[in-house]
Amino acid sequence: QLVETGGGLIQPGGSLRLSCAASGFTVSANSMSWVRQAPGQGLEWVSIIYSGGNTHYADSVKGRFTISRDNSKNTLYLQMNSLRAEDTAVYYCARDYASQPGWFDPWGQGTLVTVSS
Amino acid sequence: EIVLTQSPATLSLSPGERATLSCRASQSVSSYLAWYQQKPGQAPRLLIYDASNRATGIPARFSGSGSGTDFTLTISSLEPEDFAVYYCQQRSSWPRTFGQGTKLEIK
């Protein structure tokens, strides 16, 4: 199970950290991703962290967002800086499916981030 | 960036009918394509990965086919719970990309 927290209303230029608490499996043993969905829109992959620690980012967030994990808390994070209106979305965390990085399942329920003044 | 184009945007069918959804990639993704189902207010769920493999617990009425640039998701006989939005996604190259979705609605 995956439970995201940390969303909310934030002003443009602000920062926010999302958390994704995992249960039933070890976050560090899997690749984990963040995927977002703007209101009424489709899905956009944001970032991935592999079990080995390597990371990748979408160009739209590169340099502003940082994915990380805390093994002791079995939790995934997304640090979001310099937020823009276009970052407004529901943010989902997801685990790789059957140890295959790039396929996403299961997903958390999502947390809404609204960037607005 | 690989662009995935799904068609049709909306598909109106009745329960019991066969649904055929298409996903076309702007360049070859080999067999590195997945399909997800999303119902209103819910997170997506993986249905098919590697173009044709059903994920655990997915009913046999869902099947995927294709390779290279052209892919199809087929639902052999629609159940009421199948009406949802379906997305394709590739993991062949960076960034991972999704199609814009096909909404399957009840006719």
Side-chain angles (χ1 to χ4, degrees):
Chain A
Q1 184 182 5
L2 296 166
V3 178
E4 301 99 332
T5 56
L9 176 64
I10 187 76
Q11 291 190 338
S15 297
L16 210 56
R17 188 179 79 159
L18 306 183
S19 300
C20 170
S23 57
F25 71 94
T26 302
V27 165
S28 61
N30 294 268
S31 65
M32 299 289 299
S33 294
W34 289 96
V35 178
R36 67 184 181 183
Q37 186 169 35
Q41 302 302 309
L43 301 167
E44 180 187 17
W45 172 80
V46 173
S47 182
I48 189 171
I49 183 167
Y50 287 94
S51 56
N54 289 346
T55 60
H56 287 273
Y57 298 91
D59 285 346
S60 58
V61 307
K62 198 173 294 183
R64 300 187 299 122
F65 290 11
T66 302
I67 191 171
S68 64
R69 65 191 181 209
D70 184 329
N71 296 345
S72 67
K73 296 182 178 179
N74 208 33
T75 298
L76 176 74
Y77 299 103
L78 186 68
Q79 177 67 44
M80 304 186 296
N81 299 330
S82 303
L83 283 161
R84 307 166 180 167
E86 54 265 36
D87 295 319
T88 294
V90 173
Y91 284 73
Y92 297 100
C93 64
R95 192 193 70 186
D96 60 8
Y97 174 75
S99 300
Q100 298 191 58
W103 301 144
F104 311 123
D105 199 79
W107 300 55
Q109 86 289 349
T111 187
L112 176 62
V113 173
T114 303
V115 184
S116 175
S117 55
Chain B
E1 172 174 321
I2 294 177
V3 177
L4 299 178
T5 303
Q6 293 186 240
S7 61
T10 303
L11 185 58
S12 299
L13 294 170
S14 300
E17 291 192 293
R18 182 184 186 89
T20 303
L21 287 67
S22 175
C23 177
R24 176 164 289 178
S26 59
Q27 62 191 79
S28 177
V29 299
S30 185
S31 294
Y32 295 124
L33 190 105
W35 291 92
Y36 298 82
Q37 177 193 68
Q38 187 178 32
K39 297 180 180 179
Q42 295 184 18
R45 175 176 70 148
L46 178 67
L47 300 175
I48 302 288
Y49 66 98
D50 290 346
S52 61
N53 295 313
R54 272 190 306 277
T56 301
I58 301 303
R61 64 181 182 273
F62 290 91
S63 63
S65 63
S67 65
T69 60
D70 290 297
F71 299 86
T72 300
L73 173 69
T74 301
I75 310 171
S76 60
S77 180
L78 286 165
E79 297 288 340
E81 62 268 27
D82 298 336
F83 292 91
V85 179
Y86 292 83
Y87 295 95
C88 57
Q89 177 242 324
Q90 63 82 21
R91 70 157 188 167
S92 174
S93 68
W94 299 103
R96 306 317 193 200
T97 51
F98 291 86
Q100 83 281 11
T102 289
K103 182 179 181 180
L104 179 55
E105 64 176 25
I106 299 176
K107 186 174 182 180

